[in-house]
Amino acid sequence: MLKFWVAILVIVSLTCQKYTIGFTPFPARYWLVMENGLEHDTIDLQCKRYVNDDEKEVLGLQHIPPSGNFSFNFKTTFFKTIYKCNVTWPNHGRLTDMTGFEDDQPFEDYDCGGRHCTWKFASDAIYLFNLRKQRFIQVGTWDKWSV
């Protein structure tokens, strides 16, 4: 009888997970959005997906036009999923191995604050949209990174 209730709990959790905000220990769908907040310059972006520290996928180089964005969605697994990105503002700065997404509770619930992680790259700083605060929070600059 215990196995039956455990199975019901798992089914309900998997069915309802799309309505929850942020972290879940089960596989879930997430969206990563990279916004170019620069008025005149294009930024270059390349992200890699890691599962349990093994590189699994490299997304092609993206050239994000001024005031444009690049977004994609993905599904996590039962193993830890991380997206690391290299972001270049030609002739101004470069971020190497910036953590664009990390499948852990503090990042999802307190940094992103939900299933959509939205980054903005501006001339003065790098920002991450925080769903709980309903605004972009500065998390670094082109030469000093804090996340």
Side-chain angles (χ1 to χ4, degrees):
M1 187 67 165
L2 179 63
K3 288 181 181 179
F4 170 76
W5 289 112
V6 169
I8 293 296
L9 178 64
V10 168
I11 291 169
V12 168
S13 296
L14 289 173
T15 306
C16 295
Q17 73 179 348
K18 66 181 177 181
Y19 301 108
T20 63
I21 295 176
F23 180 76
T24 175
F26 301 105
R29 183 152 307 279
Y30 292 87
W31 287 260
L32 190 55
V33 180
M34 304 296 199
E35 292 185 8
N36 182 350
L38 303 172
E39 293 180 18
H40 304 292
D41 295 325
T42 296
I43 60 172
D44 299 327
L45 170 79
Q46 186 166 35
C47 296
K48 296 178 184 179
R49 179 173 65 104
Y50 296 85
V51 176
N52 278 353
D53 295 328
D54 292 330
E55 185 178 309
K56 296 294 182 188
E57 175 183 23
V58 177
L59 300 177
L61 180 64
Q62 304 296 318
H63 304 287
I64 306 172
S67 302
N69 71 62
F70 172 71
S71 64
F72 60 96
N73 67 75
F74 56 93
K75 191 168 184 178
T76 58
T77 66
F78 282 105
F79 303 102
K80 187 171 185 124
T81 301
I82 298 174
Y83 275 89
K84 295 236 181 224
C85 302
N86 294 331
V87 185
T88 305
W89 179 12
N91 302 316
H92 291 87
R94 179 180 171 90
L95 303 172
T96 304
D97 287 337
M98 176 198 91
T99 302
F101 173 83
E102 186 169 353
D103 188 17
D104 70 355
Q105 189 167 6
F107 183 83
E108 293 174 37
D109 288 346
Y110 300 107
D111 291 335
C112 282
R115 298 283 168 89
H116 293 80
C117 290
T118 303
W119 293 88
K120 182 185 277 186
F121 303 97
S123 59
D124 64 331
I126 286 70
Y127 299 91
L128 178 60
F129 188 80
N130 185 291
L131 187 63
R132 292 175 186 261
K133 296 179 181 179
Q134 287 295 299
R135 64 185 177 91
F136 280 97
I137 305 295
Q138 181 178 341
V139 294
T141 63
W142 285 99
D143 53 1
K144 187 170 182 174
W145 186 245
S146 62
V147 172

